[in-house]
PDB file of all heavy atoms in Angstrom:
ATOM      1  N   ARG Q 426     -18.164  21.265 -31.287  1.00  0.00           N
ATOM      2  CA  ARG Q 426     -17.746  21.845 -32.564  1.00  0.00           C
ATOM      3  C   ARG Q 426     -16.366  22.497 -32.442  1.00  0.00           C
ATOM      4  O   ARG Q 426     -15.513  22.349 -33.325  1.00  0.00           O
ATOM      5  CB  ARG Q 426     -18.767  22.888 -33.042  1.00  0.00           C
ATOM      6  CG  ARG Q 426     -20.095  22.296 -33.480  1.00  0.00           C
ATOM      7  CD  ARG Q 426     -21.026  23.363 -34.044  1.00  0.00           C
ATOM      8  NE  ARG Q 426     -22.326  22.803 -34.383  1.00  0.00           N
ATOM      9  CZ  ARG Q 426     -22.579  22.122 -35.493  1.00  0.00           C
ATOM     10  NH1 ARG Q 426     -21.595  21.949 -36.385  1.00  0.00           N
ATOM     11  NH2 ARG Q 426     -23.785  21.644 -35.720  1.00  0.00           N
ATOM     12  N   ALA Q 429     -13.772  19.750 -32.191  1.00  0.00           N
ATOM     13  CA  ALA Q 429     -13.645  19.041 -33.464  1.00  0.00           C
ATOM     14  C   ALA Q 429     -12.922  19.901 -34.490  1.00  0.00           C
ATOM     15  O   ALA Q 429     -12.067  19.421 -35.243  1.00  0.00           O
ATOM     16  CB  ALA Q 429     -15.027  18.640 -33.974  1.00  0.00           C
ATOM     17  N   ARG Q 451     -26.579  12.395 -31.538  1.00  0.00           N
ATOM     18  CA  ARG Q 451     -26.424  13.792 -31.946  1.00  0.00           C
ATOM     19  C   ARG Q 451     -24.948  14.188 -31.963  1.00  0.00           C
ATOM     20  O   ARG Q 451     -24.494  14.899 -32.877  1.00  0.00           O
ATOM     21  CB  ARG Q 451     -27.217  14.697 -31.010  1.00  0.00           C
ATOM     22  CG  ARG Q 451     -28.720  14.467 -31.085  1.00  0.00           C
ATOM     23  CD  ARG Q 451     -29.465  15.128 -29.944  1.00  0.00           C
ATOM     24  NE  ARG Q 451     -29.539  16.567 -30.091  1.00  0.00           N
ATOM     25  CZ  ARG Q 451     -30.125  17.374 -29.195  1.00  0.00           C
ATOM     26  NH1 ARG Q 451     -30.673  16.854 -28.107  1.00  0.00           N
ATOM     27  NH2 ARG Q 451     -30.160  18.676 -29.397  1.00  0.00           N
ATOM     28  N   ARG Q 453     -22.386  12.123 -32.401  1.00  0.00           N
ATOM     29  CA  ARG Q 453     -21.758  11.433 -33.542  1.00  0.00           C
ATOM     30  C   ARG Q 453     -22.014  12.189 -34.836  1.00  0.00           C
ATOM     31  O   ARG Q 453     -21.085  12.434 -35.625  1.00  0.00           O
ATOM     32  CB  ARG Q 453     -22.321  10.017 -33.633  1.00  0.00           C
ATOM     33  CG  ARG Q 453     -21.840   9.209 -34.835  1.00  0.00           C
ATOM     34  CD  ARG Q 453     -22.794   8.068 -35.147  1.00  0.00           C
ATOM     35  NE  ARG Q 453     -24.138   8.588 -35.428  1.00  0.00           N
ATOM     36  CZ  ARG Q 453     -25.253   7.859 -35.363  1.00  0.00           C
ATOM     37  NH1 ARG Q 453     -25.178   6.579 -35.009  1.00  0.00           N
ATOM     38  NH2 ARG Q 453     -26.429   8.388 -35.645  1.00  0.00           N
ATOM     39  N   ASP Q 454     -23.256  12.582 -35.074  1.00  0.00           N
ATOM     40  CA  ASP Q 454     -23.586  13.263 -36.323  1.00  0.00           C
ATOM     41  C   ASP Q 454     -22.867  14.607 -36.423  1.00  0.00           C
ATOM     42  O   ASP Q 454     -22.401  14.996 -37.507  1.00  0.00           O
ATOM     43  CB  ASP Q 454     -25.103  13.467 -36.410  1.00  0.00           C
ATOM     44  CG  ASP Q 454     -25.856  12.148 -36.521  1.00  0.00           C
ATOM     45  OD1 ASP Q 454     -25.211  11.113 -36.854  1.00  0.00           O
ATOM     46  OD2 ASP Q 454     -27.072  12.134 -36.253  1.00  0.00           O
ATOM     47  N   LEU Q 455     -22.758  15.297 -35.303  1.00  0.00           N
ATOM     48  CA  LEU Q 455     -22.055  16.584 -35.310  1.00  0.00           C
ATOM     49  C   LEU Q 455     -20.575  16.378 -35.633  1.00  0.00           C
ATOM     50  O   LEU Q 455     -20.004  17.107 -36.470  1.00  0.00           O
ATOM     51  CB  LEU Q 455     -22.240  17.251 -33.948  1.00  0.00           C
ATOM     52  CG  LEU Q 455     -21.671  18.646 -33.726  1.00  0.00           C
ATOM     53  CD1 LEU Q 455     -22.453  19.369 -32.635  1.00  0.00           C
ATOM     54  CD2 LEU Q 455     -20.197  18.613 -33.352  1.00  0.00           C
ATOM     55  N   LEU Q 456     -19.948  15.385 -35.013  1.00  0.00           N
ATOM     56  CA  LEU Q 456     -18.521  15.151 -35.232  1.00  0.00           C
ATOM     57  C   LEU Q 456     -18.239  14.688 -36.652  1.00  0.00           C
ATOM     58  O   LEU Q 456     -17.158  14.966 -37.200  1.00  0.00           O
ATOM     59  CB  LEU Q 456     -18.004  14.129 -34.214  1.00  0.00           C
ATOM     60  CG  LEU Q 456     -17.987  14.617 -32.758  1.00  0.00           C
ATOM     61  CD1 LEU Q 456     -17.616  13.473 -31.819  1.00  0.00           C
ATOM     62  CD2 LEU Q 456     -17.011  15.782 -32.587  1.00  0.00           C
ATOM     63  N   LEU Q 457     -19.178  13.996 -37.263  1.00  0.00           N
ATOM     64  CA  LEU Q 457     -18.980  13.539 -38.644  1.00  0.00           C
ATOM     65  C   LEU Q 457     -18.915  14.704 -39.630  1.00  0.00           C
ATOM     66  O   LEU Q 457     -18.456  14.537 -40.773  1.00  0.00           O
ATOM     67  CB  LEU Q 457     -20.083  12.557 -39.043  1.00  0.00           C
ATOM     68  CG  LEU Q 457     -19.933  11.133 -38.488  1.00  0.00           C
ATOM     69  CD1 LEU Q 457     -21.191  10.315 -38.740  1.00  0.00           C
ATOM     70  CD2 LEU Q 457     -18.715  10.446 -39.107  1.00  0.00           C
ATOM     71  N   GLU Q 458     -19.358  15.882 -39.196  1.00  0.00           N
ATOM     72  CA  GLU Q 458     -19.205  17.060 -40.043  1.00  0.00           C
ATOM     73  C   GLU Q 458     -17.733  17.474 -40.137  1.00  0.00           C
ATOM     74  O   GLU Q 458     -17.339  18.194 -41.061  1.00  0.00           O
ATOM     75  CB  GLU Q 458     -20.032  18.226 -39.487  1.00  0.00           C
ATOM     76  CG  GLU Q 458     -21.536  17.967 -39.445  1.00  0.00           C
ATOM     77  CD  GLU Q 458     -22.285  19.112 -38.779  1.00  0.00           C
ATOM     78  OE1 GLU Q 458     -21.687  20.218 -38.672  1.00  0.00           O
ATOM     79  OE2 GLU Q 458     -23.427  18.908 -38.358  1.00  0.00           O
ATOM     80  N   TYR Q 459     -16.912  17.015 -39.160  1.00  0.00           N
ATOM     81  CA  TYR Q 459     -15.509  17.418 -39.090  1.00  0.00           C
ATOM     82  C   TYR Q 459     -14.551  16.236 -39.262  1.00  0.00           C
ATOM     83  O   TYR Q 459     -13.384  16.441 -39.605  1.00  0.00           O
ATOM     84  CB  TYR Q 459     -15.221  18.074 -37.732  1.00  0.00           C
ATOM     85  CG  TYR Q 459     -16.021  19.322 -37.471  1.00  0.00           C
ATOM     86  CD1 TYR Q 459     -17.313  19.254 -36.944  1.00  0.00           C
ATOM     87  CD2 TYR Q 459     -15.484  20.577 -37.742  1.00  0.00           C
ATOM     88  CE1 TYR Q 459     -18.048  20.404 -36.692  1.00  0.00           C
ATOM     89  CE2 TYR Q 459     -16.215  21.740 -37.488  1.00  0.00           C
ATOM     90  CZ  TYR Q 459     -17.501  21.642 -36.962  1.00  0.00           C
ATOM     91  OH  TYR Q 459     -18.218  22.784 -36.723  1.00  0.00           O
ATOM     92  N   ARG Q 460     -15.007  15.018 -38.979  1.00  0.00           N
ATOM     93  CA  ARG Q 460     -14.117  13.860 -38.945  1.00  0.00           C
ATOM     94  C   ARG Q 460     -14.517  12.848 -40.007  1.00  0.00           C
ATOM     95  O   ARG Q 460     -15.697  12.696 -40.343  1.00  0.00           O
ATOM     96  CB  ARG Q 460     -14.164  13.172 -37.560  1.00  0.00           C
ATOM     97  CG  ARG Q 460     -13.795  14.071 -36.395  1.00  0.00           C
ATOM     98  CD  ARG Q 460     -12.289  14.211 -36.241  1.00  0.00           C
ATOM     99  NE  ARG Q 460     -11.939  15.334 -35.386  1.00  0.00           N
ATOM    100  CZ  ARG Q 460     -11.809  15.275 -34.061  1.00  0.00           C
ATOM    101  NH1 ARG Q 460     -12.011  14.149 -33.427  1.00  0.00           N
ATOM    102  NH2 ARG Q 460     -11.474  16.376 -33.394  1.00  0.00           N
ATOM    103  N   ASP Q 461     -13.521  12.134 -40.473  1.00  0.00           N
ATOM    104  CA  ASP Q 461     -13.756  11.037 -41.406  1.00  0.00           C
ATOM    105  C   ASP Q 461     -14.562   9.940 -40.717  1.00  0.00           C
ATOM    106  O   ASP Q 461     -14.360   9.667 -39.538  1.00  0.00           O
ATOM    107  CB  ASP Q 461     -12.399  10.487 -41.874  1.00  0.00           C
ATOM    108  CG  ASP Q 461     -12.555   9.442 -42.961  1.00  0.00           C
ATOM    109  OD1 ASP Q 461     -12.793   8.264 -42.608  1.00  0.00           O
ATOM    110  OD2 ASP Q 461     -12.423   9.798 -44.137  1.00  0.00           O
ATOM    111  N   LEU Q 484     -16.070   5.820 -36.291  1.00  0.00           N
ATOM    112  CA  LEU Q 484     -17.022   6.849 -35.890  1.00  0.00           C
ATOM    113  C   LEU Q 484     -18.340   6.689 -36.632  1.00  0.00           C
ATOM    114  O   LEU Q 484     -19.427   6.826 -36.049  1.00  0.00           O
ATOM    115  CB  LEU Q 484     -16.425   8.240 -36.134  1.00  0.00           C
ATOM    116  CG  LEU Q 484     -17.333   9.440 -35.829  1.00  0.00           C
ATOM    117  CD1 LEU Q 484     -17.746   9.445 -34.365  1.00  0.00           C
ATOM    118  CD2 LEU Q 484     -16.613  10.756 -36.192  1.00  0.00           C
TER     119      LEU Q 484
END
Side-chain angles (χ1 to χ4, degrees):
R426 290 184 184 280
R451 295 167 74 181
R453 176 201 59 200
D454 294 343
L455 184 154
L456 292 173
L457 283 170
E458 298 175 18
Y459 299 85
R460 302 279 164 89
D461 186 276
L484 177 60

